[in-house]
């Protein structure tokens, strides 16, 4: 009897665990109602970074065919150019569910828009947050003609006549190694010359790996100073680092360049 009871409890625990797992990964997204579908108001072309597609109008205007597998990988801290072309003047909206909670209602998730309603194309630059959650999630591209203007927190609740909505399964990722210098903390514009002016920066480890023992260099004119960052900076954290000093005793304008030189860095655009 005890064995039967223990087995029953074990089966129940397994069922609860599976239910919890499914609830975490099977997010349910809401969709608006498009009374006239996408006839005459479809998305003719969509691109995001290197990804591009020429969609066709699906009955009802809701296209989820690109949500079965991840169709693009976006890296945190990177900027991507996106273009949405329609066959007539429309309102445009682009949404990304950064925290993968099954909605596009959180602050910062309405990432691109043109709400003038007078253009047939939208082009913008969309930034993936530097501290974005590493996850598989969803992007929504929405154009509509007439009815509610697209906006934050109304991609599902508005009343729309004609339009087209497309959802895309995407992956938010980080390079294995990616060290960025995000802020020059010192020197700043000041009127007090110094013969030992410190060069201090804010480092951010955008990559997926904890990093240590990498060189950071600054250059002022013919002066070049390199110092090894000997501490450990964890993934997705920041740290301040003083690289060295230079002679700024003359009342002049100095051109300063600071850069990290992490081996295997996946994105050199943020090194300086």
């Amino acid at each position: 009897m005890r064995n039967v009871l223990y087995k029953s409890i074990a089966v129940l625990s397994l069922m609860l665990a599976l239910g919890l797992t499914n609830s975490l990964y099977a997010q349910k997204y809401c969709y608006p109602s498009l009374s006239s579908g996408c006839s005459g108001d479809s998305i003719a072309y969509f691109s995001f970074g290197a990804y591009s597609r020429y969609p066709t109008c699906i009955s009802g205007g809701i296209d989820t065919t690109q949500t079965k597998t991840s169709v693009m990988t976006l890296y945190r801290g990177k900027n991507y150019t996106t273009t949405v072309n329609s066959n007539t003047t429309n309102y445009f909206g682009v949404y990304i569910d950064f925290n993968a909670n099954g909605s596009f209602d959180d602050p910062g998730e309405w990432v691109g828009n043109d709400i003038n309603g007078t253009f047939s194309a939208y082009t913008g630059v969309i930034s993936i947050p530097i501290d974005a959650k590493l996850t598989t999630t969803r992007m929504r591209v929405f154009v509509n003609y007439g009815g509610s203007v697209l906006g934050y927190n109304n991609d599902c609740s508005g009343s729309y006549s004609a339009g087209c909505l497309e959802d895309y399964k995407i992956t938010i990722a980080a390079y294995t190694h990616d060290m960025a210098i995000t802020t020059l903390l010192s020197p700043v514009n000041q009127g007090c010359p110094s013969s030992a002016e410190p060069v201090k920066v804010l480092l951010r480890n955008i990559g997926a790996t904890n990093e240590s023992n990498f060189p950071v260099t600054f250059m002022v004119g013919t002066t070049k100073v390199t110092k090894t960052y000997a501490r450990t900076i964890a993934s997705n954290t920041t740290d301040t680092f003083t690289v060295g000093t230079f002679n700024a005793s003359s009342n002049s304008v100095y051109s300063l360049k600071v850069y990290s030189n992490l081996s295997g860095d996946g994105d050199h655009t943020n090194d300086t």
Side-chain angles (χ1 to χ4, degrees):
M1 185 67 179
R2 287 183 179 177
N3 290 338
V4 173
L5 178 59
Y6 292 156
K7 288 180 180 179
S8 299
I9 293 174
V11 170
L12 178 59
S13 299
L14 179 60
M15 291 174 64
L16 290 172
L18 289 174
L20 176 60
T21 302
N22 289 336
S23 69
L24 289 173
Y25 292 99
Q27 302 289 4
K28 294 186 180 298
Y29 290 86
C30 65
Y31 299 96
S33 175
L34 300 170
S35 58
S36 300
C38 58
S39 178
D41 293 278
S42 60
I43 297 174
Y45 173 76
F46 168 64
S47 68
F48 199 101
Y51 177 86
S52 63
R53 180 174 180 244
Y54 293 88
T56 57
C57 177
I58 290 182
S59 178
I62 308 295
D63 183 354
T64 60
T65 60
Q66 304 302 303
T67 62
K68 295 178 176 60
T69 59
S70 181
V71 298
M72 57 182 113
T73 298
L74 308 178
Y75 290 89
R76 63 185 181 191
K78 294 284 288 182
N79 297 326
Y80 295 89
T81 299
T82 184
T83 297
V84 186
N85 291 345
S86 181
N87 53 4
T88 187
T89 57
N90 276 298
Y91 301 112
F92 296 83
V94 182
Y95 305 79
I96 296 178
D97 180 16
F98 283 119
N99 59 2
N101 69 344
S103 81
F104 301 96
D105 297 341
D106 298 293
E109 294 189 338
W110 185 33
V111 294
N113 70 85
D114 184 337
I115 57 176
N116 291 301
T118 58
F119 300 103
S120 60
Y122 162 74
T123 297
V125 176
I126 293 175
S127 300
I128 307 303
I130 204 167
D131 57 351
K133 179 181 180 180
L134 304 182
T135 186
T136 298
T137 185
R138 190 172 291 202
M139 175 190 295
R140 174 163 293 177
V141 183
F142 194 7
V143 302
N144 83 295
Y145 180 82
S148 301
V149 177
L150 294 180
Y152 165 70
N153 200 26
N154 79 336
D155 59 301
C156 289
S157 59
S159 175
Y160 307 103
S161 54
C164 180
L165 180 151
E166 296 177 353
D167 277 3
Y168 294 84
K169 190 174 185 178
I170 65 171
T171 300
I172 305 294
Y175 293 106
T176 303
H177 306 283
D178 187 6
M179 188 62 58
I181 293 180
T182 59
T183 309
L184 178 64
L185 301 174
S186 175
V188 295
N189 291 330
Q190 55 188 5
C192 299
S194 171
S195 60
E197 183 69 38
V199 176
K200 186 177 183 180
V201 296
L202 182 67
L203 297 169
R204 179 157 201 126
N205 184 3
I206 307 174
T209 306
N210 297 345
E211 303 289 0
S212 62
N213 297 316
F214 58 89
V216 181
T217 299
F218 78 80
M219 297 178 64
V220 179
T222 58
T223 300
K224 181 178 181 181
V225 175
T226 297
K227 184 177 179 180
T228 298
Y229 178 89
R231 301 189 292 269
T232 296
I233 180 170
S235 172
N236 202 27
T237 63
T238 62
D239 193 15
T240 58
F241 183 57
T242 300
V243 187
T245 63
F246 71 97
N247 186 354
S249 58
S250 64
N251 191 8
S252 182
V253 176
Y254 297 89
S255 178
L256 173 66
K257 179 181 180 180
V258 191
Y259 57 94
S260 62
N261 192 17
L262 177 67
S263 177
D265 197 308
D267 179 15
H268 292 294
T269 63
N270 55 29
D271 293 351
T272 304

